[in-house]
Amino acid sequence: MKKKEIPIIAGVSNRHVHLSREDVDILFGKDYQLTPIKDLGQPGQFACKETVIIVGPKGAIENVRVLGPERKETQVEISLTDAFKLGVMPPVRDSGDLEGTPGIVIVGPKGSVIKEKGVIIAKRHIHMHTSDAEKFGVKDKDIVKVVVEKGDRRLIFDDVLIRVSEKFALEFHVDTDEANAALLKTGDVVYIVEEL
């Protein structure tokens, strides 16, 4: 395998919730505005001060961070480890692909919502601006391999989805389970590799 020499910053994604306007009103109160506390790697995306509790058939997880801005549809992103604790078995999906996914209960300070669908394990992916995609010679929805060369747990992630948009910044996203397997932290550098 040959490593492409352009480094890509990793972003490790802990469990989080994207909320619709309707669900923000129910969970936090009518016309409530989410409070940004930290910008994320993607332009316009931010972590909020607000947290919720997510409840599945076997257990609950408290202090789950809400990410902004609001979405058209509520989505809960968890790891496989979280799924075992909650007693749900979500599929690995691209963000926004929610058909056929399990539901969950979300509890906020002012109310709760029962979602019939919306829980996923996020498919590992690389966000790329259109200019980055040109440099790498890839297009939206392509699949690549990514190598983590750090420390004692060198690892190659296969089946990494490329997501291209003029709104994106170059960043590799994995969840905490995947990151732990490679001792990978947010801010570490990874590389795309290609077959020879």
Side-chain angles (χ1 to χ4, degrees):
M1 289 198 177
K2 179 185 174 189
K3 182 175 81 172
K4 295 198 177 184
E5 291 304 319
I6 306 169
I8 302 171
I9 299 296
V12 178
S13 184
N14 201 352
R15 67 182 77 97
H16 60 271
V17 177
H18 300 278
L19 294 174
S20 67
R21 177 68 251 172
E22 178 187 14
D23 288 345
V24 171
D25 284 344
I26 295 168
L27 295 169
F28 295 98
K30 186 158 175 52
D31 299 324
Y32 185 89
Q33 294 301 307
L34 296 172
T35 313
I37 56 169
K38 178 184 170 191
D39 287 335
L40 300 176
Q42 294 307 302
Q45 305 291 307
F46 52 88
C48 302
K49 177 185 80 174
E50 291 76 18
T51 61
V52 294
I53 302 167
I54 55 175
V55 184
K58 287 189 175 174
I61 299 175
E62 298 184 355
N63 299 314
V64 178
R65 184 72 54 197
V66 176
L67 299 189
E70 294 159 11
R71 293 260 183 113
K72 182 176 59 121
E73 200 170 7
T74 291
Q75 175 175 297
V76 178
E77 296 182 37
I78 61 175
S79 69
L80 185 59
T81 301
D82 294 334
F84 291 141
K85 180 172 183 176
L86 293 167
V88 295
M89 194 42 60
V92 175
R93 290 280 179 86
D94 189 13
S95 183
D97 182 5
L98 304 181
E99 284 308 313
T101 59
I104 201 158
V105 176
I106 305 173
V107 180
K110 300 287 188 183
S112 60
V113 290
I114 300 171
K115 304 307 294 184
E116 297 299 320
K117 63 178 182 179
V119 183
I120 65 168
I121 296 172
K123 185 173 180 64
R124 52 185 171 253
H125 58 277
I126 302 173
H127 289 280
M128 286 190 184
H129 188 271
T130 47
S131 60
D132 295 315
E134 286 178 24
K135 287 180 204 163
F136 282 98
V138 296
K139 61 186 184 305
D140 192 49
K141 303 283 194 244
D142 278 356
I143 300 294
V144 298
K145 291 180 170 65
V146 168
V147 64
V148 180
E149 296 185 308
K150 177 185 169 204
D152 296 326
R153 299 192 92 178
R154 187 172 186 273
L155 187 142
I156 292 176
F157 286 107
D158 200 351
D159 200 30
V160 179
L161 177 69
I162 299 290
R163 298 181 59 196
V164 180
S165 167
E166 291 187 353
K167 298 178 180 175
F168 289 161
L170 185 62
E171 190 176 34
F172 172 58
H173 279 181
V174 288
D175 70 22
T176 50
D177 283 356
E178 295 171 303
N180 288 342
L183 299 178
L184 186 68
K185 299 189 310 293
T186 293
D188 288 344
V189 168
V190 301
Y191 297 88
I192 290 177
V193 290
E194 53 192 351
E195 307 282 355
L196 291 177

